[in-house]
Amino acid sequence: MGIDKNRVKTQDELNEPAPIDEVEERVEAEMKRLEGAAKKDVAEGLQNEELTKDGKRLQAEGEREISKLKKKRS
């Protein structure tokens, strides 16, 4: 009982990205989410509405990217 090399399909042949290739995207999205959360928290402490909005926007953008990447993997 061996592996029939004629029946084996590679990720390249199936046009599937390897999970390791998606790590950078996931890390960038998570960092964006965390940076946004930190900005928002600091801005709220400083009572800076503009920075608070920017932090919320950045956090939401990171969360959307993470969600999109999760759906892409499914």
Side-chain angles (χ1 to χ4, degrees), residues 35-49:
E35 181 182 353
K39 271 187 178 180
K40 181 183 67 121
D41 291 344
V42 169
E44 287 173 352
L46 296 173
Q47 297 179 351
N48 183 328
E49 289 183 30

Side-chain angles (χ1 to χ4, degrees), residues 6-44:
N6 294 325
R7 297 185 69 188
V8 174
K9 300 282 185 192
T10 66
Q11 286 178 318
D12 287 338
E13 291 171 332
L14 297 173
N15 200 24
E16 290 181 358
I20 192 73
D21 295 338
E22 297 174 340
V23 169
E24 188 173 340
E25 291 176 22
R26 290 194 312 263
V27 169
E28 286 178 9
E30 184 65 22
M31 290 299 294
K32 190 179 288 186
R33 185 187 70 78
L34 292 171
E35 181 182 353
K39 271 187 178 180
K40 181 183 67 121
D41 291 344
V42 169
E44 287 173 352

